[in-house]
Amino acid sequence: MLKMLLPVDGSEASGRAVEQFMERLDWYKEKPEIHLLNVRVPLHGDIAMFINKEEIGKYHQEEGLKDLGQARALLDQANIVYQHHIIVGEPVTMIVQFAAEMTCDQIVIGPRGLGAIKGLLLGSVASKLIQLATTPVLLLK
């Protein structure tokens, strides 16, 4: 069975990518195993001095679930089975690592997420993924 990784960040672009992917499910001979992934950027500074590790973990889970909400609702509404995951780290590194660890066959992503302005200056997650991922990347607008 094919394993597909759909990184989502709660943006319109990631929601559209999920919708476009759903429309293309008939491309595959059998329904692929779908993994939704939300990567939380670590909290920086001295935050750990004021908030315990459990609360920080809870925060990342709550925010991750919010960002996964639209994609989960779309898949649930279409009765499409998936698994969701929330991890913390630098987005491109974590997506590449997760795809390798899960032996995903393809990464499906929207070309722009929440960091559009930052992406203009530093390069978007999508363009970095194309350069760094050993797993094929499918960009869907």
Side-chain angles (χ1 to χ4, degrees):
M1 176 181 283
L2 289 174
K3 289 184 185 177
M4 310 302 277
L5 176 60
L6 285 77
V8 294
D9 63 3
S11 67
E12 278 186 45
S14 68
R16 280 193 307 273
V18 171
E19 288 174 342
Q20 293 292 322
F21 175 72
M22 290 170 52
E23 291 174 10
R24 290 166 172 77
L25 281 174
D26 61 345
W27 285 6
Y28 307 100
K29 289 182 183 178
E30 58 184 51
K31 293 215 185 228
E33 182 178 307
I34 299 171
H35 294 271
L36 295 179
L37 176 67
N38 179 257
V39 181
R40 308 299 313 155
V41 177
L43 300 175
H44 294 289
D46 295 330
I47 194 97
M49 290 176 60
F50 305 103
I51 302 173
N52 68 41
K53 204 175 200 176
E54 289 174 359
E55 289 299 316
I56 293 171
K58 187 176 175 181
Y59 167 79
H60 284 304
Q61 286 297 310
E62 289 172 359
E63 292 301 308
L65 287 172
K66 284 181 194 174
D67 285 350
L68 288 166
Q70 177 188 16
R72 291 179 69 195
L74 288 168
L75 293 168
D76 288 343
Q77 187 175 28
N79 292 317
I80 297 172
V81 177
Y82 63 91
Q83 296 176 40
H84 71 273
H85 314 270
I86 301 167
I87 57 178
V88 179
E90 191 280 321
V92 173
T93 302
M94 299 309 293
I95 293 168
V96 169
Q97 182 179 333
F98 187 89
E101 288 174 2
M102 295 294 290
T103 61
C104 291
D105 297 293
Q106 192 169 51
I107 299 169
V108 180
I109 192 167
R112 280 197 203 123
L114 294 173
I117 300 294
K118 188 176 180 182
L120 291 174
L121 301 173
L122 303 174
S124 70
V125 169
S127 65
K128 287 180 186 177
L129 269 178
I130 290 169
Q131 293 172 358
L132 300 175
T134 55
T135 304
V137 178
L138 174 63
L139 290 176
L140 294 175
K141 287 186 176 185

Coordinates of all heavy atoms in Angstrom, one line a residue, residues 60-120:
H60 N 1.6 22.6 22.3 CA 1.9 22.1 20.9 C 0.8 21.2 20.4 O 0.4 21.3 19.2 CB 3.3 21.4 20.9 CG 4.4 22.3 21.0 ND1 4.6 23.4 20.1 CD2 5.5 22.4 21.8 CE1 5.7 24.0 20.4 NE2 6.3 23.4 21.4
Q61 N 0.3 20.3 21.2 CA -0.8 19.4 20.8 C -2.0 20.2 20.5 O -2.7 19.9 19.4 CB -1.1 18.4 21.9 CG 0.0 17.3 22.0 CD 0.1 16.5 20.8 OE1 -0.9 16.0 20.2 NE2 1.3 16.3 20.3
E62 N -2.4 21.1 21.3 CA -3.6 21.9 21.1 C -3.5 22.7 19.8 O -4.4 22.8 19.0 CB -3.9 22.8 22.3 CG -4.4 22.1 23.5 CD -4.5 23.0 24.7 OE1 -4.2 24.2 24.7 OE2 -4.9 22.5 25.8
E63 N -2.4 23.4 19.6 CA -2.2 24.2 18.4 C -2.1 23.4 17.2 O -2.6 23.7 16.1 CB -0.9 25.1 18.6 CG -1.1 26.2 19.7 CD -2.2 27.1 19.4 OE1 -2.3 27.7 18.3 OE2 -3.1 27.3 20.3
G64 N -1.4 22.2 17.3 CA -1.3 21.3 16.2 C -2.7 20.8 15.8 O -3.0 20.7 14.6
L65 N -3.5 20.4 16.7 CA -4.9 20.0 16.4 C -5.7 21.1 15.7 O -6.5 20.8 14.8 CB -5.6 19.5 17.7 CG -5.1 18.1 18.2 CD1 -5.8 17.8 19.5 CD2 -5.4 17.0 17.2
K66 N -5.5 22.3 16.1 CA -6.2 23.4 15.5 C -5.8 23.5 14.0 O -6.6 23.7 13.1 CB -5.8 24.8 16.1 CG -6.6 25.0 17.4 CD -6.1 26.4 18.0 CE -6.5 26.5 19.4 NZ -6.0 27.8 20.0
D67 N -4.4 23.4 13.8 CA -3.9 23.5 12.4 C -4.3 22.3 11.5 O -4.4 22.4 10.3 CB -2.4 23.6 12.4 CG -1.9 25.0 12.8 OD1 -2.8 25.9 12.9 OD2 -0.7 25.2 13.0
L68 N -4.6 21.2 12.2 CA -5.0 20.0 11.4 C -6.5 20.0 11.2 O -7.0 19.1 10.4 CB -4.6 18.7 12.2 CG -3.1 18.4 12.2 CD1 -2.8 17.3 13.3 CD2 -2.7 17.9 10.9
G69 N -7.2 20.8 11.9 CA -8.7 20.8 11.9 C -9.3 20.8 10.5 O -10.2 20.0 10.3
Q70 N -8.9 21.7 9.6 CA -9.6 21.8 8.3 C -9.3 20.5 7.5 O -10.2 20.0 6.9 CB -9.0 23.0 7.6 CG -9.6 23.1 6.2 CD -8.9 24.2 5.3 OE1 -7.9 24.7 5.7 NE2 -9.6 24.6 4.2
A71 N -8.1 20.1 7.5 CA -7.7 18.8 6.8 C -8.5 17.6 7.3 O -9.0 16.8 6.5 CB -6.2 18.6 6.8
R72 N -8.5 17.5 8.6 CA -9.2 16.4 9.2 C -10.7 16.4 8.9 O -11.3 15.4 8.6 CB -9.0 16.4 10.7 CG -7.6 16.1 11.1 CD -7.4 16.1 12.6 NE -8.1 15.0 13.2 CZ -8.4 14.9 14.5 NH1 -8.0 15.8 15.4 NH2 -9.0 13.8 15.0
A73 N -11.3 17.6 8.9 CA -12.7 17.8 8.6 C -13.0 17.3 7.2 O -14.0 16.7 6.9 CB -13.2 19.2 8.9
L74 N -12.2 17.8 6.3 CA -12.4 17.4 4.8 C -12.3 15.9 4.7 O -13.1 15.3 4.0 CB -11.3 18.1 4.0 CG -11.4 19.6 3.8 CD1 -10.1 20.1 3.2 CD2 -12.6 19.9 2.9
L75 N -11.3 15.3 5.3 CA -11.1 13.8 5.1 C -12.3 13.1 5.8 O -12.8 12.1 5.3 CB -9.8 13.4 5.6 CG -8.6 13.9 4.8 CD1 -7.3 13.7 5.5 CD2 -8.5 13.2 3.4
D76 N -12.6 13.5 7.0 CA -13.7 12.9 7.8 C -15.0 13.0 7.0 O -15.8 12.0 6.9 CB -13.9 13.6 9.1 CG -12.8 13.2 10.1 OD1 -12.1 12.2 9.9 OD2 -12.7 14.0 11.1
Q77 N -15.3 14.1 6.4 CA -16.5 14.3 5.6 C -16.6 13.4 4.4 O -17.7 12.9 4.1 CB -16.6 15.8 5.2 CG -17.9 16.1 4.5 CD -18.0 17.6 4.2 OE1 -17.0 18.3 4.0 NE2 -19.2 18.2 4.2
A78 N -15.4 13.1 3.8 CA -15.4 12.2 2.7 C -15.2 10.7 3.1 O -15.0 9.9 2.2 CB -14.3 12.6 1.7
N79 N -15.2 10.5 4.4 CA -15.0 9.1 4.9 C -13.7 8.5 4.4 O -13.6 7.3 4.1 CB -16.2 8.2 4.6 CG -17.4 8.6 5.3 OD1 -17.4 8.9 6.5 ND2 -18.6 8.6 4.6
I80 N -12.7 9.3 4.4 CA -11.3 8.9 4.0 C -10.5 8.6 5.3 O -10.4 9.5 6.2 CB -10.6 9.9 3.1 CG1 -11.4 10.1 1.8 CG2 -9.2 9.5 2.9 CD1 -11.0 11.2 1.0
V81 N -10.0 7.4 5.4 CA -9.2 7.0 6.6 C -7.8 7.7 6.5 O -7.2 7.7 5.5 CB -9.1 5.5 6.7 CG1 -8.2 5.1 7.8 CG2 -10.4 4.8 6.7
Y82 N -7.3 8.1 7.7 CA -6.0 8.8 7.8 C -5.5 8.7 9.2 O -6.3 8.3 10.1 CB -6.1 10.3 7.4 CG -7.0 11.1 8.3 CD1 -6.5 11.7 9.5 CD2 -8.4 11.1 8.1 CE1 -7.3 12.4 10.4 CE2 -9.2 11.8 9.0 CZ -8.6 12.4 10.1 OH -9.5 13.1 11.0
Q83 N -4.3 9.0 9.4 CA -3.7 9.1 10.7 C -3.1 10.5 10.8 O -2.7 11.1 9.8 CB -2.6 8.1 10.9 CG -3.0 6.7 10.9 CD -1.8 5.7 11.0 OE1 -0.9 6.0 11.7 NE2 -1.9 4.7 10.2
H84 N -3.2 11.1 12.0 CA -2.6 12.5 12.1 C -1.5 12.4 13.2 O -1.5 11.6 14.1 CB -3.7 13.5 12.5 CG -4.2 13.4 13.9 ND1 -5.3 12.6 14.2 CD2 -3.8 14.0 15.0 CE1 -5.5 12.7 15.5 NE2 -4.7 13.5 16.0
H85 N -0.5 13.3 12.9 CA 0.7 13.4 13.8 C 1.0 14.8 14.0 O 0.9 15.6 13.1 CB 1.9 12.7 13.1 CG 1.5 11.3 12.5 ND1 1.6 10.2 13.2 CD2 1.1 11.0 11.2 CE1 1.3 9.2 12.4 NE2 0.9 9.7 11.2
I86 N 1.5 15.1 15.2 CA 2.0 16.4 15.6 C 3.4 16.2 16.1 O 3.6 15.5 17.1 CB 1.1 17.1 16.6 CG1 -0.3 17.2 16.1 CG2 1.6 18.5 17.0 CD1 -1.4 17.6 17.1
I87 N 4.4 16.9 15.5 CA 5.7 16.9 16.0 C 6.3 18.3 16.2 O 5.8 19.2 15.6 CB 6.6 16.0 15.1 CG1 6.6 16.5 13.7 CG2 6.2 14.5 15.2 CD1 7.5 15.6 12.8
V88 N 7.4 18.4 16.9 CA 8.0 19.7 17.1 C 9.4 19.7 16.5 O 10.2 18.8 16.7 CB 8.1 20.0 18.6 CG1 8.8 21.3 18.9 CG2 6.7 19.9 19.3
G89 N 9.7 20.8 15.8 CA 11.1 20.9 15.2 C 11.0 21.9 14.1 O 10.0 22.6 13.8
E90 N 12.1 21.9 13.3 CA 12.2 22.8 12.1 C 11.4 22.1 11.0 O 11.6 20.9 10.8 CB 13.7 23.0 11.7 CG 13.9 24.0 10.7 CD 13.6 23.5 9.3 OE1 13.9 22.4 8.9 OE2 13.0 24.3 8.5
P91 N 10.4 22.8 10.4 CA 9.5 22.1 9.5 C 10.1 21.2 8.4 O 9.7 20.1 8.3 CB 8.7 23.3 8.9 CG 8.7 24.3 10.0 CD 10.0 24.2 10.6
V92 N 11.0 21.8 7.6 CA 11.5 21.0 6.5 C 12.3 19.7 7.0 O 12.0 18.6 6.5 CB 12.4 21.8 5.6 CG1 13.1 21.0 4.5 CG2 11.6 23.0 4.9
T93 N 13.1 19.9 8.0 CA 13.9 18.8 8.5 C 13.0 17.7 9.1 O 13.1 16.5 8.8 CB 14.8 19.3 9.7 OG1 15.7 20.3 9.1 CG2 15.6 18.2 10.3
M94 N 11.9 18.1 9.8 CA 11.0 17.2 10.4 C 10.2 16.5 9.4 O 9.9 15.3 9.5 CB 10.1 17.8 11.5 CG 10.9 18.5 12.6 SD 12.1 17.3 13.4 CE 11.1 16.2 14.1
I95 N 9.7 17.2 8.3 CA 8.9 16.5 7.3 C 9.8 15.5 6.5 O 9.3 14.4 6.3 CB 8.4 17.6 6.3 CG1 7.4 18.5 7.0 CG2 7.8 16.9 5.0 CD1 7.0 19.7 6.2
V96 N 11.0 15.9 6.2 CA 11.9 14.9 5.5 C 12.2 13.7 6.4 O 12.1 12.6 5.9 CB 13.2 15.6 5.1 CG1 14.3 14.6 4.6 CG2 13.0 16.7 4.0
Q97 N 12.5 14.0 7.7 CA 12.8 12.9 8.6 C 11.5 12.0 8.8 O 11.7 10.7 8.8 CB 13.2 13.5 9.9 CG 13.6 12.4 11.0 CD 14.0 13.1 12.3 OE1 14.5 14.2 12.3 NE2 13.8 12.4 13.4
F98 N 10.4 12.6 9.0 CA 9.2 11.8 9.2 C 8.9 10.9 7.9 O 8.5 9.7 8.1 CB 8.0 12.7 9.5 CG 6.7 12.0 9.9 CD1 6.5 11.7 11.2 CD2 5.8 11.7 8.9 CE1 5.3 11.1 11.6 CE2 4.6 11.0 9.3 CZ 4.4 10.7 10.6
A99 N 9.0 11.5 6.8 CA 8.7 10.8 5.5 C 9.7 9.6 5.4 O 9.2 8.5 5.0 CB 8.9 11.7 4.3
A100 N 10.9 9.8 5.8 CA 11.9 8.7 5.7 C 11.5 7.6 6.8 O 11.5 6.4 6.4 CB 13.3 9.2 5.9
E101 N 11.3 8.0 8.0 CA 11.0 7.0 9.1 C 9.7 6.2 8.8 O 9.6 5.1 9.1 CB 10.8 7.8 10.4 CG 12.2 8.3 11.0 CD 12.0 9.1 12.2 OE1 10.8 9.3 12.7 OE2 13.0 9.6 12.7
M102 N 8.7 6.9 8.2 CA 7.5 6.2 7.9 C 7.5 5.5 6.5 O 6.5 4.9 6.1 CB 6.3 7.2 7.9 CG 6.0 7.8 9.3 SD 5.5 6.6 10.5 CE 3.8 6.3 9.9
T103 N 8.6 5.6 5.8 CA 8.8 5.1 4.5 C 7.6 5.5 3.6 O 7.0 4.7 2.9 CB 9.0 3.5 4.5 OG1 7.8 2.9 5.0 CG2 10.2 3.1 5.2
C104 N 7.4 6.8 3.6 CA 6.3 7.4 2.7 C 6.8 7.3 1.3 O 7.9 7.5 1.0 CB 6.0 8.8 3.1 SG 5.2 8.9 4.7
D105 N 5.8 7.1 0.4 CA 6.1 7.1 -1.1 C 6.0 8.4 -1.7 O 6.6 8.6 -2.8 CB 5.1 6.1 -1.7 CG 5.3 4.7 -1.2 OD1 6.3 4.1 -1.5 OD2 4.3 4.2 -0.5
Q106 N 5.3 9.4 -1.1 CA 5.2 10.7 -1.6 C 4.8 11.7 -0.6 O 4.1 11.4 0.4 CB 4.1 10.7 -2.7 CG 4.0 11.9 -3.6 CD 3.2 11.7 -4.8 OE1 2.0 11.3 -4.7 NE2 3.7 12.0 -6.0
I107 N 5.3 12.9 -0.7 CA 4.9 14.0 0.1 C 4.0 14.9 -0.7 O 4.4 15.3 -1.8 CB 6.1 14.8 0.6 CG1 7.0 13.9 1.4 CG2 5.7 16.1 1.4 CD1 8.4 14.5 1.7
V108 N 2.8 15.3 -0.2 CA 1.9 16.1 -1.0 C 1.7 17.4 -0.2 O 1.3 17.4 1.0 CB 0.5 15.4 -1.1 CG1 -0.5 16.3 -1.9 CG2 0.6 14.1 -1.8
I109 N 2.0 18.5 -0.8 CA 2.0 19.8 -0.1 C 1.5 20.9 -1.0 O 1.7 20.9 -2.2 CB 3.5 20.1 0.4 CG1 3.5 21.2 1.4 CG2 4.4 20.3 -0.7 CD1 4.8 21.4 2.2
G110 N 1.0 22.0 -0.4 CA 0.6 23.2 -1.1 C 1.9 24.0 -1.3 O 2.8 24.0 -0.5
P111 N 1.9 24.9 -2.3 CA 3.1 25.6 -2.6 C 3.4 26.8 -1.6 O 4.5 27.2 -1.5 CB 2.9 26.2 -4.0 CG 1.4 26.2 -4.1 CD 0.9 25.1 -3.3
R112 N 2.4 27.2 -0.9 CA 2.6 28.3 0.1 C 1.8 28.0 1.3 O 0.6 27.5 1.3 CB 2.1 29.6 -0.4 CG 3.0 30.2 -1.3 CD 2.7 31.7 -1.5 NE 3.2 32.1 -2.8 CZ 2.6 32.6 -3.8 NH1 1.3 32.9 -3.7 NH2 3.2 33.0 -4.9
G113 N 2.4 28.2 2.5 CA 1.7 28.1 3.8 C 1.6 29.4 4.5 O 1.5 30.4 3.8
L114 N 1.6 29.3 5.8 CA 1.5 30.5 6.6 C 2.6 31.5 6.5 O 2.5 32.7 6.8 CB 1.2 30.2 8.1 CG -0.1 29.4 8.3 CD1 -0.1 28.9 9.8 CD2 -1.3 30.3 8.0
G115 N 3.8 31.0 6.1 CA 5.0 31.8 6.1 C 5.3 32.5 4.7 O 6.4 32.4 4.3
A116 N 4.3 33.0 4.0 CA 4.5 33.5 2.7 C 5.6 34.7 2.7 O 6.4 34.7 1.8 CB 3.2 34.0 2.1
I117 N 5.5 35.6 3.6 CA 6.4 36.7 3.6 C 7.8 36.2 3.9 O 8.8 36.5 3.2 CB 6.0 37.8 4.6 CG1 4.6 38.4 4.3 CG2 7.0 38.9 4.7 CD1 4.5 39.1 3.0
K118 N 7.9 35.4 5.0 CA 9.2 34.8 5.3 C 9.7 33.9 4.2 O 10.9 33.9 3.9 CB 9.0 33.9 6.6 CG 10.3 33.4 7.2 CD 9.9 32.7 8.5 CE 11.2 32.2 9.1 NZ 11.0 31.4 10.4
G119 N 8.8 33.2 3.5 CA 9.2 32.4 2.4 C 9.8 33.1 1.3 O 10.7 32.6 0.6
L120 N 9.4 34.4 1.1 CA 10.0 35.2 0.0 C 11.4 35.5 0.3 O 12.3 35.6 -0.5 CB 9.2 36.5 -0.1 CG 7.8 36.4 -0.7 CD1 7.1 37.7 -0.7 CD2 7.9 35.9 -2.1

